[in-house]
């Protein structure tokens, strides 16, 4: 967990000292994982700083549950808030609907998987919580300008 009072420079300084004290490979692996986790948490926290705690919580929930079949109902239940209120709050603060954000994150992650794995497109669609391959192809093309197959061919040239 990051300390709210620490700057990025202070965190870096702390870890540079810790690196000097590492005495074996296992300690280095453990320290590396700890550094990556803290850095990601720091970046995530401060990249969402402009949003209210409720919108931050929605964004975090979506990002952590991309592989699930998420709905507005599920998100509003998770937030223990009225669906209309959650939708309006999210749109007001981010300028986009929850569904747009959800689909954007899913497509962004699926593009990553298409670039970095050899999994078939159906498997990738399921990994991002979309179980209808035709729907996945349609929204992928809407956000990326190409179908998943075209995208994979283009990046593998």
């Amino acid at each position: 967990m990051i300390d709210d009072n620490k700057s990025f420079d202070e965190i870096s300084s702390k870890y540079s000292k810790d690196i000097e004290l590492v005495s074996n490979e296992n300690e280095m692996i453990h320290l590396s994982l700890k550094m990556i986790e803290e850095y990601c948490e720091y970046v995530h926290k401060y990249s969402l700083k402009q949003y209210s705690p409720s919108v931050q919580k929605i964004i975090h929930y979506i990002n952590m549950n991309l592989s699930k079949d998420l709905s507005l109902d599920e998100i509003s239940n998770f937030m223990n808030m009225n669906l209309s209120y959650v939708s309006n709050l999210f749109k007001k603060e981010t300028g986009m609907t929850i569904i747009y954000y959800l689909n954007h994150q899913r497509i962004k992650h699926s593009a990553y998987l298409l670039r970095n794995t050899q999994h078939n497109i159906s498997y990738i669609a399921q990994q991002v919580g979309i179980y209808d391959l035709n729907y996945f192809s349609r929204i992928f093309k809407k956000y990326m300008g190409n179908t998943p197959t075209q995208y994979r061919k283009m990046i593998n040239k």
Side-chain angles (χ1 to χ4, degrees):
M1 193 71 164
I2 63 174
D3 180 347
D4 287 343
N5 298 319
K6 280 189 182 177
S7 72
F8 187 71
D9 289 335
E10 290 170 321
I11 293 169
S12 297
S13 178
K14 173 183 144 292
Y15 281 121
S16 67
K17 291 173 187 167
D18 289 350
I19 289 169
E20 291 176 17
L21 299 174
V22 169
S23 62
N24 62 50
E25 186 177 348
N26 284 339
E27 286 180 10
M28 181 55 89
I29 291 169
H30 178 72
L31 181 61
S32 297
L33 293 173
K34 187 176 170 189
M35 287 173 17
I36 291 167
E37 182 181 337
E38 188 169 356
Y39 174 76
C40 289
E41 189 177 336
Y42 186 89
V43 168
H44 179 73
K45 179 177 184 204
Y46 288 96
S47 68
L48 300 178
K49 197 172 187 178
Q50 73 270 23
Y51 301 125
S52 68
S54 293
V55 170
Q56 288 179 25
K57 189 173 177 181
I58 293 167
I59 289 171
H60 183 69
Y61 182 74
I62 289 171
N63 291 341
M64 298 308 294
N65 293 285
L66 281 180
S67 64
K68 291 184 179 176
D69 187 17
L70 292 176
S71 67
L72 289 174
D73 277 337
E74 184 177 341
I75 294 167
S76 64
N77 286 339
F78 168 75
M79 293 299 296
N80 200 26
M81 295 177 175
N82 176 284
L83 189 139
S84 296
Y85 178 77
V86 168
S87 294
N88 290 334
L89 177 67
F90 193 88
K91 171 87 173 175
K92 179 182 172 191
E93 289 191 31
T94 66
M96 64 185 97
T97 66
I98 291 175
I99 296 302
Y100 180 90
Y101 178 79
L102 172 61
N103 285 335
H104 182 264
Q105 293 303 104
R106 285 177 165 164
I107 297 308
K108 196 165 77 170
H109 186 60
S110 64
Y112 170 82
L113 293 173
L114 286 165
R115 283 190 312 274
N116 296 293
T117 72
Q118 295 304 312
H119 297 303
N120 67 43
I121 293 168
S122 179
Y123 177 82
I124 289 173
Q126 291 175 10
Q127 291 302 298
V128 297
I130 302 172
Y131 298 92
D132 179 335
L133 191 54
N134 289 325
Y135 178 68
F136 174 70
S137 292
R138 270 196 327 272
I139 66 165
F140 191 94
K141 186 171 184 171
K142 176 182 174 184
Y143 285 78
M144 300 297 288
N146 297 303
T147 66
T149 303
Q150 293 167 334
Y151 179 80
R152 183 172 260 170
K153 284 179 184 174
M154 181 181 71
I155 59 157
N156 287 329
K157 284 185 179 180

